[in-house]
């Protein structure tokens, strides 16, 4: 008799598990249907990109972006929509930059753009000989040879990596720290090859830092397009005594009050547990930042729109957060965590979209082994939608600030092969967005948020 009861219990448990799986499949199918047939993310992004435009922190566009996204979240009927104050840097580019290779009497223009937080050149510009290096380590071996020269950092992104973000990480130190290290050796300027895998004429912006250098040692820093870098390198090899002229008028103004934009669906079982989904509202100023990160903003908004539209009642509080100032300071993410700590909030999961609006492939996950395994168990539910890549890795720059003890983090991972064609460049515009790919990303994010809300996370075992 006992054996029969035990067998019956096992069968019922199996049926329950099978029903739950089928229910998840049904709901995920519905999320994709909603995203692919009636999503608002594409029209939201069209307005954000074409009507508002670039949104560098401290700018008019950033302020308009805050007001627009707040209005749209309010229109969804969420339980709560509010702004969170954050002081942000206010760096302005000024007049369009100019640069020329001077080879004897031959003067050849090359495309450049000032790097974020850079100082300006003198009003008349800078003219100096150029010294080319491939790395910060090579620079350090040159010593006095650098004094009075413009240092040209020309290490390309590695084309051998299939994961293009790996190539970006490997090459990024020259942009972030090149000017600082060149200044220490007496250089008068720094020119950095754009972080882009293809050859084109678009210089790519991005932030750089002088670290703890005294201000009087700051030197102007600019990115040069990959075609420009190839030409400069080739010309240098033919004639090492050529000079480069460049001029830029950027400056850093006093910090400005801005906001993170936040909307909530209140949890019905454990509202004290918070699930975050978000992207960053600011963008670089060369274009409207449709991929970086307008796409992530509207996809995150679409997640709560779909759930609200389906009258979904979350177990945990689901919070969409549109962070300000990811590009040149990270102040929005830091402020969100600061306020969260003050309120003693408990975040159990955070999902960020900040890798472009291309076809989704999976998720990059920051979690302990137990939670990583738990998220991997969802793979079969995503396979019908060609989502297959569940790997450990960096989840996102804004959510990396979150430090709740039990938190699990994930970043949406779209196909990355075209991302750096647009990243931080003047061609990161709305016409580079594919509507269907954008919507597929929103559906994929909604599905993972739903699964985590339904199933929770694995709490660490007490010692």
């Amino acid at each position: 008799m006992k054996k029969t009861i035990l067998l019956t219990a096992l069968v019922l448990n199996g049926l329950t598990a099978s029903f739950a799986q089928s229910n998840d499949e049904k709901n995920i199918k519905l999320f994709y249907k909603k995203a692919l047939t009636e999503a608002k993310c594409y029209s939201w992004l069209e307005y954000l990109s074409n009507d508002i435009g670039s949104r560098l922190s401290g700018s008019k566009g950033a302020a308009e972006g805050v007001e627009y996204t707040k209005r749209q979240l309010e229109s969804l009927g969420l339980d709560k929509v509010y702004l969170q104050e954050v002081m942000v840097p206010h760096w302005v580019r000024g007049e369009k930059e100019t640069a020329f290779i001077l080879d004897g009497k031959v003067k050849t223009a090359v495309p450049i753009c000032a790097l974020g937080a850079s100082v300006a050149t003198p009003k008349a510009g800078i003219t100096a000989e150029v010294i080319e290096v491939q790395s910060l380590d090579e620079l350090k071996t040159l010593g006095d040879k650098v004094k009075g020269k413009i240092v040209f950092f020309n290490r390309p992104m590695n084309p051998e990596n299939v994961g293009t973000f790996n190539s970006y990480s490997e090459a990024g130190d020259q942009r972030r720290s090149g000017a600082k290290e060149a200044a220490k050796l007496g250089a008068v300027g720094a020119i950095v090859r754009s972080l882009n895998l293809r050859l084109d004429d678009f210089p790519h912006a991005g932030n750089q830092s002088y670290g703890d250098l005294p201000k009087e040692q700051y030197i102007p820093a600019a990115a040069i397009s990959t075609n420009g870098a190839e030409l400069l390198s080739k010309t240098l090899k033919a004639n090492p005594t050529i000079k480069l002229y460049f001029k830029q008028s950027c400056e850093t103004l006093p910090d400005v009050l801005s906001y993170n934009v936040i909307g909530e669906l209140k949890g019905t079982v454990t509202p004290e547990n918070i699930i975050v989904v978000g992207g960053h509202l600011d963008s670089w100023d060369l274009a409207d930042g449709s991929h970086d990160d307008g796409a992530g903003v509207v996809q995150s908004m679409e997640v709560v729109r779909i759930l609200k539209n389906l009258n979904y009642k979350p177990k945990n509080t689901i919070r969409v957060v549109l962070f300000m100032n990811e590009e040149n300071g990270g102040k929005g993410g830091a402020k969100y965590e600061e306020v969260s700590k003050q309120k003693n909030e408990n975040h159990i999961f955070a999902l960020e979209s900040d890798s472009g609006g291309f076809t989704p492939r999976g998720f990059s996950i920051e979690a302990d082994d137990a939670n990583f395994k738990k998220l991997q168990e969802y793979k079969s539910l995503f396979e019908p939608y060609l989502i297959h890549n569940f790997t450990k890795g960096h989840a996102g720059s804004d959510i990396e600030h979150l430090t709740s003890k039990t938190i699990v983090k994930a970043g949406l991972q779209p196909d990355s092969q075209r991302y750096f064609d647009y990243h931080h460049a003047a061609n990161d515009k709305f016409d580079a967005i594919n509507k269907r790919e954008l919507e597929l990303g929103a559906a994929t994010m909604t599905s993972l948020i739903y699964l985590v809300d339904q199933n929770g996370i694995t709490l660490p075992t007490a010692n």
Side-chain angles (χ1 to χ4, degrees), residues 343-412:
K343 293 182 176 180
N344 245 358
E345 291 181 334
N346 181 44
H347 290 79
I348 61 169
F349 185 69
L351 171 61
E352 183 168 337
S353 174
D354 186 17
S355 299
F358 300 102
T359 303
R361 297 296 187 208
F363 301 97
S364 179
I365 300 164
E366 293 181 39
D368 58 22
D369 290 341
N371 281 296
F372 181 63
K373 181 180 179 182
K374 188 167 185 174
L375 291 185
Q376 279 193 314
E377 289 172 357
Y378 301 146
K379 283 179 72 173
S380 62
L381 292 166
F382 285 94
E383 284 172 359
Y385 309 98
L386 306 181
I387 308 300
H388 59 275
N389 187 26
F390 285 60
T391 57
K392 281 195 173 183
H394 180 63
S397 298
D398 284 306
I399 62 175
E400 75 179 2
H401 294 278
L402 293 173
T403 57
S404 297
K405 290 181 181 179
T406 57
I407 194 168
V408 174
K409 304 176 186 178
L412 179 70

Side-chain angles (χ1 to χ4, degrees), residues 9-229:
L10 288 172
V11 171
L12 286 172
N13 285 338
L15 287 172
T16 301
S18 176
F19 175 78
Q21 180 85 339
S22 298
N23 197 47
D24 287 341
E25 289 173 346
K26 178 182 176 183
N27 285 330
I28 289 172
K29 184 176 181 179
L30 187 56
F31 299 150
Y32 276 87
K33 178 183 177 181
K34 287 287 185 181
L36 294 172
T37 61
E38 58 182 64
K40 289 190 174 182
C41 54
Y42 190 72
S43 60
W44 282 334
L45 183 57
E46 182 176 21
Y47 188 92
L48 198 62
S49 299
N50 293 337
D51 289 72
I52 294 177
S54 64
R55 302 172 302 281
L56 192 60
S57 67
S59 69
K60 179 183 176 183
E64 290 179 353
V66 166
E67 291 304 316
Y68 174 70
T69 52
K70 179 175 180 282
R71 287 198 307 271
Q72 298 312 307
L73 288 176
E74 287 172 338
S75 74
L76 301 180
L78 305 181
D79 296 312
K80 191 176 182 181
V81 176
Y82 59 100
L83 300 180
Q84 183 179 78
E85 292 186 353
V86 54
M87 296 299 294
V88 298
H90 188 196
W91 178 85
V92 293
R93 182 172 302 281
E95 297 176 3
K96 184 174 174 57
E97 305 88 342
T98 54
F100 300 96
I101 299 170
L102 304 174
D103 185 3
K105 294 183 179 180
V106 179
K107 179 180 176 182
T108 307
V110 286
I112 68 163
C113 69
L115 290 174
S118 176
V119 294
T121 62
K123 287 186 178 181
I126 287 175
T127 302
E129 291 187 357
V130 181
I131 189 162
E132 180 179 347
V133 297
Q134 296 293 310
S135 69
L136 297 180
D137 287 339
E138 181 185 355
L139 172 68
K140 291 172 185 176
T141 68
L142 297 178
D144 290 342
K145 294 179 182 178
V146 173
K147 192 169 184 180
K149 293 186 171 65
I150 295 169
V151 176
F152 169 38
F153 295 90
N154 192 32
R155 183 167 84 258
M157 286 175 63
N158 184 358
E160 297 179 19
N161 293 325
V162 175
T164 61
F165 279 86
N166 294 329
S167 300
Y168 178 71
S169 296
E170 291 168 4
D173 60 343
Q174 57 192 342
R175 189 198 74 199
R176 294 188 302 270
S177 304
K180 176 184 71 175
E181 297 303 326
K184 289 178 182 178
L185 297 175
V188 295
I191 298 289
V192 183
R193 183 190 183 100
S194 287
L195 298 180
N196 178 9
L197 281 158
R198 73 176 181 180
L199 294 175
D200 63 26
D201 293 318
F202 294 104
H204 290 233
N207 216 35
Q208 63 86 42
S209 171
Y210 297 109
D212 57 1
L213 281 180
K215 287 187 177 181
E216 58 270 19
Q217 288 188 28
Y218 289 5
I219 61 173
I224 186 171
S225 73
T226 47
N227 274 339

Side-chain angles (χ1 to χ4, degrees), residues 158-444:
N158 184 358
E160 297 179 19
N161 293 325
V162 175
T164 61
F165 279 86
N166 294 329
S167 300
Y168 178 71
S169 296
E170 291 168 4
D173 60 343
Q174 57 192 342
R175 189 198 74 199
R176 294 188 302 270
S177 304
K180 176 184 71 175
E181 297 303 326
K184 289 178 182 178
L185 297 175
V188 295
I191 298 289
V192 183
R193 183 190 183 100
S194 287
L195 298 180
N196 178 9
L197 281 158
R198 73 176 181 180
L199 294 175
D200 63 26
D201 293 318
F202 294 104
H204 290 233
N207 216 35
Q208 63 86 42
S209 171
Y210 297 109
D212 57 1
L213 281 180
K215 287 187 177 181
E216 58 270 19
Q217 288 188 28
Y218 289 5
I219 61 173
I224 186 171
S225 73
T226 47
N227 274 339
E230 292 289 300
L231 178 62
L232 179 55
S233 181
K234 180 180 178 181
T235 310
L236 272 170
K237 286 179 175 61
N239 179 8
T241 65
I242 64 162
K243 293 183 178 181
L244 182 74
Y245 165 87
F246 77 105
K247 179 182 178 182
Q248 57 192 42
S249 57
C250 46
E251 62 178 321
T252 299
L253 302 174
D255 287 359
V256 170
L257 176 64
S258 190
Y259 305 89
N260 294 327
V261 184
I262 302 173
E264 287 184 3
L265 289 172
K266 197 73 171 178
T268 58
V269 179
T270 50
E272 69 277 8
N273 291 339
I274 299 169
I275 293 174
V276 161
V277 58
H280 67 84
L281 190 50
D282 60 307
S283 74
W284 280 104
D285 58 323
L286 297 177
D288 51 65
S290 289
H291 277 295
D292 186 20
D293 182 31
V297 165
V298 298
Q299 285 173 330
S300 300
M301 294 167 65
E302 189 66 46
V303 170
V304 292
R305 191 203 69 83
I306 290 173
L307 294 176
K308 178 65 178 177
N309 183 262
L310 291 170
N311 200 31
Y312 177 72
K313 304 296 183 185
K315 293 181 178 180
N316 309 282
T317 294
I318 296 176
R319 184 181 286 173
V320 57
V321 184
L322 312 180
F323 298 95
M324 181 56 69
N325 184 233
E326 186 272 347
E327 293 292 7
N328 62 334
K331 296 297 179 70
K335 172 56 74 169
Y336 180 83
E337 168 65 358
E338 178 189 326
V339 174
S340 174
K341 278 186 172 180
Q342 292 169 356
K343 293 182 176 180
N344 245 358
E345 291 181 334
N346 181 44
H347 290 79
I348 61 169
F349 185 69
L351 171 61
E352 183 168 337
S353 174
D354 186 17
S355 299
F358 300 102
T359 303
R361 297 296 187 208
F363 301 97
S364 179
I365 300 164
E366 293 181 39
D368 58 22
D369 290 341
N371 281 296
F372 181 63
K373 181 180 179 182
K374 188 167 185 174
L375 291 185
Q376 279 193 314
E377 289 172 357
Y378 301 146
K379 283 179 72 173
S380 62
L381 292 166
F382 285 94
E383 284 172 359
Y385 309 98
L386 306 181
I387 308 300
H388 59 275
N389 187 26
F390 285 60
T391 57
K392 281 195 173 183
H394 180 63
S397 298
D398 284 306
I399 62 175
E400 75 179 2
H401 294 278
L402 293 173
T403 57
S404 297
K405 290 181 181 179
T406 57
I407 194 168
V408 174
K409 304 176 186 178
L412 179 70
Q413 291 299 300
D415 186 300
S416 69
Q417 302 312 313
R418 292 169 288 156
Y419 182 63
F420 290 100
D421 296 351
Y422 304 97
H423 181 252
H424 296 179
N427 58 342
D428 186 6
K429 296 181 178 180
F430 184 70
D431 61 8
I433 295 290
N434 178 281
K435 179 176 183 290
R436 187 170 178 84
E437 291 179 335
L438 183 75
E439 293 166 350
L440 285 167
T444 303

